[in-house]
Amino acid sequence: MPPSPTTDQAPLTAPVFQILLSLVDADLHGYALIQDIRVRTDGEVSLTASTLYSAIKRLVAADLIEEVTPRRNADDDPRRRYYAITALGRTTLRAEAARLERLTAMARKKKLLPALRTASAKER
C-alpha cells in the first residue's frame, strides 16, 4: 500500500518542499533544480549538490519523484538525469502546502502576521 501523504511524508523539510515545488511545472535535472530553488527563494534556500542528491534519492525511494527520459537538445549533457514529480508527490506537496496555509492562518488570527489584503480589480 502506498504511503499516505498526510501522515508518512508531512511535514516536509524546506529543501524537499522546494524540490517538489520546482518539479510542478517542468522536469528538471539536478543543477537546474539548484538554480530554480535559489532564484525562486531569493537565496533563502540554497542547496549543495550533496544535499540535493541525497534528497533526490529519498524522494525517488518514496515514489514522490521519478527519473525520466527527457527530449534532449543538441547541447544537453547526456549524463544529466532529469526528474519529474509523481502523482503521489503532487498530492503530498498539495497536502503540505495546505498544512502550511492552515498554520499561517493561525498566526494571522493571533495577529503575529498582518491580515492578507484583498487584490484590487486592477491586480486581478
Side-chain angles (χ1 to χ4, degrees):
M1 175 155 46
S4 163
T6 55
T7 57
D8 295 345
Q9 302 297 333
L12 300 177
T13 64
V16 166
F17 184 86
Q18 295 299 336
I19 291 166
L20 293 174
L21 196 57
S22 289
L23 294 173
V24 165
D25 296 324
D27 302 344
L28 298 172
H29 58 80
Y31 184 66
L33 280 165
I34 289 171
Q35 289 179 309
D36 182 67
I37 293 166
R38 185 179 303 125
V39 168
R40 194 167 27 75
T41 66
D42 290 328
E44 186 178 325
V45 179
S46 184
L47 302 178
T48 63
S50 62
T51 301
L52 174 73
Y53 288 107
S54 206
I56 284 175
K57 186 176 178 181
R58 289 189 311 274
L59 290 168
V60 168
D63 193 35
L64 299 179
I65 66 172
E66 62 189 355
E67 189 172 332
V68 294
T69 304
R71 290 190 202 126
R72 295 192 183 274
N73 299 327
D75 62 341
D76 201 8
D77 187 334
R79 296 172 295 181
R80 284 185 175 154
R81 294 176 184 228
Y82 283 76
Y83 300 93
I85 192 168
T86 63
L88 178 61
R90 192 174 292 273
T91 300
T92 301
L93 180 60
R94 188 174 287 117
E96 178 67 357
R99 185 187 76 82
L100 293 171
E101 193 171 70
R102 287 190 305 276
L103 293 176
T104 302
M106 290 176 204
R108 288 188 197 294
K109 191 172 183 177
K110 292 286 191 175
K111 309 278 191 247
L112 185 61
L113 295 173
L116 290 176
R117 69 178 185 84
T118 306
S120 68
K122 195 175 191 178
E123 292 174 314
R124 286 183 233 149

